[in-house]
Amino acid sequence: REKGVQHLADVANIAMMMNANVRFRVQLNYPQEYPLLREAKSRLIASDAVLPLTMGSMDEEAYARFIDACHLILLPYDPERYRSRGSGLIREALYRGRPVVVPRYTEMGAWVHREGIGVGFDEFNPSSIAAAVVAASEGYRDLARKAFMIGEGLEPEREADQYLEFLMSEREA
């Protein structure tokens, strides 16, 4: 629940109604299925807004190709659970020059907003998340340029603690 998988199908459908050009590539990497995941998966498969669903983990090359095929990276995380948590996916997205959509009222959301590398959603519900996706899509050129510039400073082999140092130095600047 904290990663927002239960909202993805509704987010995709609402976003596509708001902007007919919006489509979603979704990768679900859960080691075991549970009822919420089964329901989310079947709803995603049925959605016209979702390109073929990718299930399971990917090797590094496949993962890079997956991200490269996306314009934006959506992290529909529950802001209550992620208030002071981060996500390695932000690093992956920025390294590949992709803007992100994250919960606004979190530390990562504040950083994303301050750097201009994505859009934050206000509430943990499909309408709010979809509106942020559409806003990011409409502002894509500027967001992508800034994400690319930040991503140039990231090295692919950089360890998580080095990335944390980078984020903290940006936070204090």
Side-chain angles (χ1 to χ4, degrees):
R1 290 185 184 272
E2 71 180 27
K3 294 198 177 191
V5 67
Q6 70 275 20
H7 294 315
L8 285 176
D10 290 333
V11 168
N13 293 329
I14 293 167
M16 192 173 89
M17 286 188 310
M18 295 171 77
N19 181 329
N21 295 318
V22 172
R23 294 292 181 278
F24 288 74
R25 292 183 187 281
V26 177
Q27 187 242 354
L28 297 177
N29 184 20
Y30 291 91
Q32 60 188 16
E33 284 207 12
Y34 52 93
L36 181 69
L37 179 60
R38 277 193 297 277
E39 179 185 343
K41 187 168 89 173
S42 65
R43 293 185 67 226
L44 286 164
I45 290 169
S47 172
D48 290 336
V50 177
L51 299 170
L53 188 61
T54 302
M55 289 298 296
S57 62
M58 293 184 251
D59 64 33
E60 191 174 326
E61 287 182 23
Y63 188 63
R65 284 191 307 273
F66 184 85
I67 291 176
D68 287 344
C70 300
H71 289 103
L72 304 166
I73 305 299
L74 169 61
L75 305 174
Y77 298 157
D78 180 345
E80 289 301 315
R81 300 291 304 226
Y82 275 81
R83 184 135 340 265
S84 61
R85 291 165 64 184
S87 173
L89 290 175
I90 291 176
R91 179 204 170 281
E92 296 290 336
L94 294 177
Y95 178 70
R96 305 199 82 73
R98 301 302 187 261
V100 295
V101 175
V102 298
R104 180 181 314 272
Y105 303 110
T106 61
E107 287 184 17
M108 70 178 135
W111 183 73
V112 163
H113 176 74
R114 185 173 58 252
E115 297 299 327
I117 54 174
V119 173
F121 55 87
D122 293 327
E123 297 176 29
F124 188 53
N125 65 55
S127 295
S128 182
I129 298 169
V133 167
V134 171
S137 177
E138 291 170 354
Y140 174 74
R141 286 182 193 252
D142 189 47
L143 295 172
R145 182 182 56 76
K146 290 176 182 172
F148 181 79
M149 288 174 17
I150 295 271
E152 284 185 317
L154 300 176
E155 299 172 22
E157 65 277 355
R158 191 173 285 217
E159 295 295 326
D161 57 343
Q162 291 173 311
Y163 180 57
L164 182 59
E165 286 177 32
F166 169 74
L167 288 178
M168 295 308 287
S169 68
E170 289 297 309
R171 186 177 190 198
E172 295 169 0

